[in-house]
Amino acid sequence: MKRYITLFTLLAVFATTFAQGWVSQASKAVFSVVTYDKDGNVLNNGNGFYISGDGTAIADYNLFKNAQKAVVIDAAGQKSDVLFILGVNDMYDIVKFQTASKKN
């Protein structure tokens, strides 16, 4: 019985350590999206995440409807402009876009 308790404890510690490393890596890819209308007023706020190291990202399509400008703000507070839209699918409510940021 002691052997099972020790084994379970070791597995729990290992899983917790592994999860903390994974979560810290994944949190670097998440950012906030702020979209603006033609007058410069905030239109929508939401979240998205980077899918590659060259600044390519995805977010909800509804955030970008009727927007004239969009900015992403990463976990460190750095702002990057959305340069252009790479693709849109309104059926799945997703937009793929390029940012000025280069993230790994």
Side-chain angles (χ1 to χ4, degrees):
M1 185 66 162
K2 289 181 182 180
R3 192 177 345 176
Y4 291 120
I5 292 173
T6 305
L7 180 62
F8 178 74
T9 304
L10 288 174
L11 286 174
V13 168
F14 176 73
T16 303
T17 304
F18 178 73
Q20 287 174 349
W22 180 80
V23 169
S24 68
Q25 291 294 325
S27 67
K28 294 177 185 177
V30 178
F31 55 78
S32 295
V33 179
V34 181
T35 57
Y36 300 93
D37 63 9
K38 63 182 177 182
D39 298 325
N41 299 321
V42 174
L43 188 62
N44 287 314
N45 289 320
N47 296 314
F49 58 93
Y50 291 106
I51 59 173
S52 71
D54 65 351
T56 304
I58 59 174
D60 292 341
Y61 170 63
N62 284 327
L63 294 173
F64 289 83
K65 278 186 181 176
N66 303 318
Q68 296 295 314
K69 180 183 175 184
V71 175
V72 299
I73 305 167
D74 65 11
Q78 296 177 347
K79 291 184 179 182
S80 298
D81 290 332
V82 173
L83 301 176
F84 50 87
I85 303 294
L86 296 169
V88 174
N89 190 324
D90 61 349
M91 186 170 123
Y92 293 110
D93 188 35
I94 194 165
V95 61
K96 182 178 177 182
F97 54 93
Q98 183 70 39
T99 66
S101 177
K102 304 295 183 208
K103 292 284 182 181
N104 283 334

